[in-house]
Amino acid sequence: MGLIFVALLAGIVMGYLHLLPDRVFQLTGKLTTAGVMLLLFLMGGQMGSDEEILAGLGEMGVQAVLLALAAIIGSVLAVKGLEVVVPFKPLEEERGREV
Amino acid sequence: MIVLILLSLVIGILAGYAGLLPAGVQANFDFLINCALCLLLWGIGLEIGGNRQLLRQVGAMGFRIILLPLVVAGGSIAGTLLVGSLLGMPPGDSAALGAGFGWYSLSGVLLAKLHSVELGALAFLTNVSREALSIILIPVVARYAGRYAAVAPGGATTMDVTLPLIVKFVGPDMALVAFFHGLVLSALVPVLVPLLV
């Protein structure tokens, strides 16, 4: 797992210091899209060749949607709670007040 | 974008199911997935580091901006813990699913490697669902729960996939808050998922 952090950090440093020619840098959006596609293709291949997972996909799908909804509702409620404790104002107003 | 990504997954599943992948690929899934992940994170790092103005502006905003992703992290994990316990799952498993924050590729791979292929698949599906449901729910939450709450559903994806939606339905002044929110949650995924599971 350490290698992943190294890759991320190397990217941030190289991006920050402009170590890459602009022409290469402009390709990073495409690079990440290609990276995600390759990753998911490989993960799909791993899942597709595992018969146990394929068998469990139906029931798993219902669980996944319920868990995702719970995470969304939980996070929205948490932000509403935070707004009660630490009132947020639109950013412009905050800046105006501090000046 | 999401269509291309889901298509890659479906093609991968079909190719794996039909046995179309070369034996060399099948024997080295873990190694190849690691290579793709490193390439991907390097590219994301380049995009973050290359945007100097963004880093500077975030620094100027102060502590309030960091509270938003932290409560979203807590709320997401609390939500999956609750529903997970109703579904009879071990608390560590359901908490780790919530800590994917919608970053399905990374949380799926992490849990497949750290725990089991099954939990990895469920993490993948849960977090794909979170992203898909966010795309539908952001306009609704923005209207009825307010501008800050509208950043919450997207989780880690508010720095890329759901950022345009937040800008459109909440306003351009939330772009930076949303990006930083996604950035913090993205950074928390590889830390919290291994800790919780």
Side-chain angles (χ1 to χ4, degrees):
Chain A
M1 262 3 329
L3 206 58
I4 290 171
F5 289 108
V6 174
L8 179 66
L9 206 64
I12 293 176
V13 171
M14 290 172 83
Y16 190 73
L17 298 177
H18 283 286
L19 292 182
L20 294 177
D22 277 351
R23 231 182 312 153
V24 179
F25 186 71
Q26 275 157 13
L27 290 174
T28 51
K30 282 182 184 146
L31 176 81
T32 47
T33 306
V36 171
M37 287 175 66
L38 178 65
L39 191 65
L40 291 192
F41 173 76
L42 289 168
M43 287 184 65
Q46 197 173 29
M47 284 187 215
S49 46
D50 191 323
E51 276 162 27
E52 265 178 57
I53 291 195
L54 286 177
L57 216 59
E59 191 197 346
M60 218 184 245
V62 177
Q63 287 190 348
V65 170
L66 288 176
L67 287 162
L69 265 179
I72 290 175
I73 294 169
S75 60
V76 170
L77 289 178
V79 173
K80 293 313 284 180
L82 177 70
E83 283 185 276
V84 173
V85 181
V86 187
F88 277 102
K89 289 279 183 295
L91 292 171
E92 269 68 18
E93 283 181 35
E94 268 179 17
R95 280 199 207 110
R97 231 182 11 212
E98 278 163 12
V99 166
Chain B
M1 175 76 176
I2 189 159
V3 174
L4 272 181
I5 286 168
L6 289 179
L7 210 60
S8 315
L9 178 74
V10 171
I11 292 170
I13 293 175
L14 292 177
Y17 184 65
L20 291 176
L21 296 172
V25 173
Q26 284 200 340
N28 294 299
F29 273 130
D30 287 340
F31 172 74
L32 292 170
I33 286 173
N34 261 339
C35 290
L37 206 55
C38 283
L39 184 71
L40 180 61
L41 284 182
W42 180 66
I44 291 171
L46 277 179
E47 285 187 74
I48 296 171
N51 205 331
R52 288 185 182 216
Q53 208 187 354
L54 203 128
L55 292 175
R56 224 177 287 142
Q57 274 178 289
V58 166
M61 277 186 183
F63 79 100
R64 270 159 293 202
I65 301 306
I66 191 103
L67 287 178
L68 192 65
L70 293 183
V71 298
V72 167
S76 304
I77 294 169
T80 54
L81 264 175
L82 183 71
V83 167
S85 71
L86 295 176
L87 293 170
M89 299 175 63
D93 289 15
S94 49
L97 292 172
F101 306 134
W103 191 356
Y104 48 84
S105 48
L106 184 62
S107 61
V109 176
L110 281 173
L111 285 172
K113 284 177 73 81
L114 295 169
H115 191 281
S116 61
V117 184
E118 287 78 13
L119 193 64
L122 183 58
F124 180 85
L125 287 174
T126 300
N127 287 293
V128 165
S129 306
R130 178 164 185 173
E131 183 181 293
L133 289 169
S134 297
I135 292 170
I136 302 164
L137 289 175
I138 283 170
V140 181
V141 175
R143 178 155 183 185
Y144 295 104
R147 50 200 293 120
Y148 290 97
V151 180
T157 69
T158 60
M159 65 182 287
D160 43 55
V161 183
T162 55
L163 184 59
L165 281 167
I166 292 167
V167 170
K168 189 167 174 225
F169 289 99
V170 184
D173 56 327
M174 283 301 281
L176 202 65
V177 177
F179 184 93
F180 183 66
H181 169 269
L183 191 72
V184 172
L185 287 175
S186 298
L188 284 176
V189 175
V191 179
L192 285 180
V193 169
L195 277 177
L196 289 168
V197 75

PDB file of all heavy atoms in Angstrom, chain B residues 14 72 99 116:
ATOM      1  N   LEU B  14     -17.544  -9.272 -18.045  1.00  0.00           N
ATOM      2  CA  LEU B  14     -17.905 -10.199 -19.126  1.00  0.00           C
ATOM      3  C   LEU B  14     -16.676 -10.959 -19.617  1.00  0.00           C
ATOM      4  O   LEU B  14     -16.734 -12.178 -19.818  1.00  0.00           O
ATOM      5  CB  LEU B  14     -18.564  -9.432 -20.282  1.00  0.00           C
ATOM      6  CG  LEU B  14     -19.947  -8.842 -19.962  1.00  0.00           C
ATOM      7  CD1 LEU B  14     -20.485  -8.045 -21.143  1.00  0.00           C
ATOM      8  CD2 LEU B  14     -20.932  -9.947 -19.575  1.00  0.00           C
ATOM      9  N   VAL B  72     -18.894  15.073   7.597  1.00  0.00           N
ATOM     10  CA  VAL B  72     -19.418  14.199   6.546  1.00  0.00           C
ATOM     11  C   VAL B  72     -18.832  12.792   6.699  1.00  0.00           C
ATOM     12  O   VAL B  72     -19.543  11.791   6.559  1.00  0.00           O
ATOM     13  CB  VAL B  72     -19.127  14.787   5.148  1.00  0.00           C
ATOM     14  CG1 VAL B  72     -19.370  13.757   4.055  1.00  0.00           C
ATOM     15  CG2 VAL B  72     -20.008  16.007   4.902  1.00  0.00           C
ATOM     16  N   ALA B  99     -16.671   4.319   4.918  1.00  0.00           N
ATOM     17  CA  ALA B  99     -15.451   5.121   4.802  1.00  0.00           C
ATOM     18  C   ALA B  99     -14.892   5.124   3.381  1.00  0.00           C
ATOM     19  O   ALA B  99     -13.836   5.704   3.139  1.00  0.00           O
ATOM     20  CB  ALA B  99     -14.397   4.618   5.785  1.00  0.00           C
ATOM     21  N   SER B 116     -11.514  -9.349   2.030  1.00  0.00           N
ATOM     22  CA  SER B 116     -11.903 -10.464   1.166  1.00  0.00           C
ATOM     23  C   SER B 116     -12.428  -9.891  -0.142  1.00  0.00           C
ATOM     24  O   SER B 116     -12.838  -8.731  -0.202  1.00  0.00           O
ATOM     25  CB  SER B 116     -13.002 -11.290   1.838  1.00  0.00           C
ATOM     26  OG  SER B 116     -14.141 -10.474   2.058  1.00  0.00           O
TER      27      SER B 116
END
